[in-house]
Amino acid sequence: MKNVTINVKGMSCGHCVKAIEGSVGELAGVNQVSVKLDEALVEVAFNEAQVSVEKIKETIEDQGYDVE
């Protein structure tokens, strides 16, 4: 199990939290997603054998947010 913290710009409300947690949470291999709205961070616990950090970032960007 690997943990990663991703800086995400453009999140501003509860809808943003649900959009990211929902889309990233559906990825195979993702065990936990936690959005820290006030800090502009997304924390993800995942299995590296099933999903990559790049795929997680791509999924966040697909929701309309900027990943740093």
Side-chain angles (χ1 to χ4, degrees):
M1 190 68 54
K2 182 171 180 166
N3 294 303
V4 66
T5 300
I6 303 168
N7 291 316
V8 180
K9 294 209 174 205
M11 300 185 301
S12 61
C13 64
H15 173 74
C16 300
V17 172
K18 287 186 180 199
I20 291 174
E21 287 182 349
S23 62
V24 174
E26 289 178 0
L27 294 173
V30 172
N31 289 52
Q32 184 176 354
V33 183
S34 177
V35 175
K36 295 188 174 185
L37 194 57
D38 295 339
E39 299 173 44
L41 297 175
V42 177
E43 296 177 342
V44 184
F46 64 100
N47 182 336
E48 285 182 287
Q50 292 181 278
V51 67
S52 66
V53 173
E54 289 75 24
K55 180 63 178 172
I56 293 168
K57 288 180 178 181
E58 180 182 302
T59 300
I60 293 169
E61 289 173 339
D62 287 348
Q63 293 298 312
Y65 304 100
D66 295 322
V67 174
E68 295 185 342

